[in-house]
Each structure stands twice: as C-alpha cells, then as structure tokens.
Amino acid sequence: MTMDAAPAVDWASLGQSFADAYAEFDANDYLSGKEVVPEPAVVDAEEPEGTDKLRRVWLRPVEDVRTYFAHEAASFTPWLAKRLHIIENAAWFDNPLTLVGTEQKIAGYRIDILAKTLVGNRERFVVIENQLERTDADHLGRLITCAAEVEASHAVWITTEFRDDHLKVMEALQRNHRDCSFIPLVIDGALATERAASFDLVTPPTYSSPDDHLREKLQEALRKAHEVHIAMQRLRDLLVDHPEVDFSRYRDIVEETGSWSHSVDDLVDQLLVHIPEERRKRAA
C-alpha cells in the first residue's frame, strides 16, 4: 500500500502565527503564574543637603597661594613652622624635625626656618627656604650658603614653581654632595573652604629635557604618578573628615588605581635590576 507523502510545513506562516499569539500575553506572567514585582531603583545613600556643592568646594584646587598667605615671612613661614610634620612626610625624613626658630640670621642672611633632626646618633641642622612664587637665584644662593655655614644635613627649598635650571642645580647638589641632602618641594593646593586651605608639599619631577624624548616620556609618567598620589591623599582626608558622606561611587576607580599601581611597582622592580645606580664610566 502506498502512503501519500507528508505535506510540507510552511515554517514562515507557523512562525508568524506563533509571534502573533505570543504578543497577546506577558511571557513572565505565563511562565511564573505570579504577578511580577519590579525591582526597586538603585539610588545613592542619603546624604546631607548641599553635599554635592560641598564636594566641589573640597576638591577645588588652590590656584593662588597668596589668597590665604598674603605675606611670605609674616604669614606663610609661621604657618609652616607649626606644621613641620608636612615637611617630614614630603621629604621622607627618618626622624622628626624640631624647630629652632624662624628668620634666623646665618652668614649675613636670614633663613626662613631653622630646624634640627637626628641623623644616626648625631643631631644635625636642617635649613628650610620657602617662596610663594617661582624660584629665583637669591633664594638658591641663600639656601646653599646657610646650609654650608651650619653644616646642615638637609637643605629644603619650598616654592610654588621651580625653574628648570634651578632644579638642575638641586639635582646636581643632591647627586654630588655626600653630607647634605638638597630637597626641592612644591606647594600644592589640597583642600579649600571659603575661609582656609590645607596644603600638600610634593617633590617636583626633575627638569625637562626636550632633546631626550625617553627622559621626557618618563618625566610625564612621573608627573602623572604624583598627581595620582595627591588625589588619593585628598580622598583619604575627605573620608576621614566627612564620614557622613557616601563615597561609594568612587570605590571601583580606587580599586582599579590600586591594581595598576601594583602592576607598575612590579615592573619598576624588574627594570631596576637592569639599570645601574650610577652611569658606567667609559673605559680609557
């Protein structure tokens, strides 16, 4: 007995019929048989009124230091002398600084701040010059002369901006002077309110070298690393000073920054293995 062949299925028509029928009901209702409750919207934790405005104020950079310190000797030097721990942290002192005095007469000059610190088993002088503008030769000469006169262990120069040639001098002194560390520090505006400001001191990148492209690239990386370090310090201060504010929106950025930082640290360690501490001398 011969059977007729099964009729061909019209898949296009079948698919269209299924789509038309499916459109008549909510698939979630059909599958679960229960009313679907929408998920609540994700919102930030409740913050005090005006927090966003305050956050902008906290993160505002201080562009003109003289807005808060009108006179270098009369206002900034005394402020800094009461906060020597800022210099200790920025310059990586092994032991605390003890204030001797401000505007101290040394070798015919007046040094802004004279302090002492313990180096090994011996107490040594530390000379500190500060400026509220770009560096000049007068402050450089004063720093070197006073450091030599008191046989200082450290000579610290604090300013808002270093000239390249002055950074070259400081780097050369640091490299060649075995008994005194010459340390340049830059004033960096940290947190500002309407009435006061808190400042960081940071080590500046070494002088630029446009004729050496690799050095220039590395200096750019150094500048960015400084900026990241200061940004993390500012966030830390905000977290400590304002525990009522929700900063969870920044957590993923901080985590990713830390991940890159660890990766860079490992890479730097690998590079230093192959880079000598001092330039090798050419054989005669």
Side-chain angles (χ1 to χ4, degrees):
M1 182 176 178
T2 304
M3 299 290 294
D4 292 336
V9 177
D10 185 349
W11 290 107
S13 298
L14 184 60
Q16 185 61 49
S17 299
F18 181 77
D20 293 341
Y22 188 80
E24 294 180 1
F25 60 83
D26 188 320
N28 287 330
D29 289 343
Y30 178 77
L31 294 174
S32 65
K34 299 179 181 179
E35 182 180 357
V36 177
V37 179
E39 294 183 3
V42 177
V43 296
D44 282 339
E46 187 175 341
E47 295 180 331
E49 184 178 353
T51 294
D52 283 337
K53 180 180 178 181
L54 285 174
R55 187 182 289 109
R56 289 194 295 272
V57 172
W58 296 332
L59 299 177
R60 184 179 64 207
V62 178
E63 297 179 356
D64 186 2
V65 181
R66 289 191 182 274
T67 302
Y68 301 93
F69 301 102
H71 192 275
E72 181 182 302
S75 54
F76 184 62
T77 296
W79 181 89
L80 193 58
K82 294 178 181 178
R83 297 165 176 82
L84 293 179
H85 65 277
I86 299 177
I87 301 176
E88 294 170 10
N89 295 334
W92 297 89
F93 274 86
D94 293 329
N95 294 297
L97 290 171
T98 302
L99 179 66
V100 175
T102 60
E103 301 298 327
Q104 297 288 294
K105 288 185 178 181
I106 300 174
Y109 290 104
R110 285 187 180 272
I111 197 73
D112 288 330
I113 298 175
L114 182 64
K116 285 185 176 182
T117 190
L118 196 63
V119 179
N121 297 323
R122 179 184 169 195
E123 198 171 50
R124 301 281 301 278
F125 282 111
V126 175
V127 294
I128 303 168
E129 271 292 283
N130 54 257
Q131 291 184 257
L132 293 178
E133 60 279 318
R134 199 173 186 221
T135 56
D136 57 42
D138 175 62
H139 282 77
L140 175 59
R142 189 182 313 169
L143 181 74
I144 296 173
T145 302
C146 292
E149 182 69 17
V150 299
E151 298 182 353
S153 62
H154 299 78
V156 183
W157 194 2
I158 300 170
T159 183
T160 56
E161 180 186 359
F162 276 94
R163 281 177 38 167
D164 276 357
D165 54 341
H166 293 157
L167 273 179
K168 289 181 181 180
V169 173
M170 293 291 283
E171 185 174 292
L173 289 168
Q174 174 67 15
R175 185 172 59 248
N176 298 316
H177 202 296
R178 299 300 180 186
D179 197 43
C180 182
S181 294
F182 287 83
I183 303 170
L185 295 176
V186 173
I187 301 168
D188 183 82
L191 308 175
T193 67
E194 295 180 357
R195 293 177 295 177
S198 172
F199 294 91
D200 289 316
L201 295 177
V202 298
T203 53
T206 53
Y207 57 88
S208 59
S209 300
D211 56 331
D212 187 339
H213 297 295
L214 180 56
R215 181 184 179 93
E216 194 67 14
K217 286 289 185 183
L218 292 174
Q219 286 177 344
E220 182 182 0
L222 179 59
R223 285 190 289 270
K224 290 180 179 179
H226 283 156
E227 291 173 2
V228 170
H229 178 69
I230 294 301
M232 293 299 105
Q233 283 185 322
R234 292 176 183 175
L235 179 57
R236 177 200 62 196
D237 293 340
L238 289 175
L239 292 172
V240 171
D241 295 339
H242 303 278
E244 76 281 4
V245 177
D246 175 33
F247 288 98
S248 59
R249 69 191 72 181
Y250 306 125
R251 183 179 176 88
D252 58 337
I253 300 175
V254 174
E255 286 180 336
E256 190 169 351
T257 301
S259 176
W260 276 108
S261 176
H262 286 304
S263 177
V264 170
D265 286 345
D266 291 340
L267 182 56
V268 167
D269 289 340
Q270 295 172 28
L271 292 173
L272 291 177
V273 171
H274 302 284
I275 299 177
E277 293 186 11
E278 296 182 3
R279 182 174 296 180
R280 295 189 181 96
K281 298 188 180 196
R282 184 179 300 173

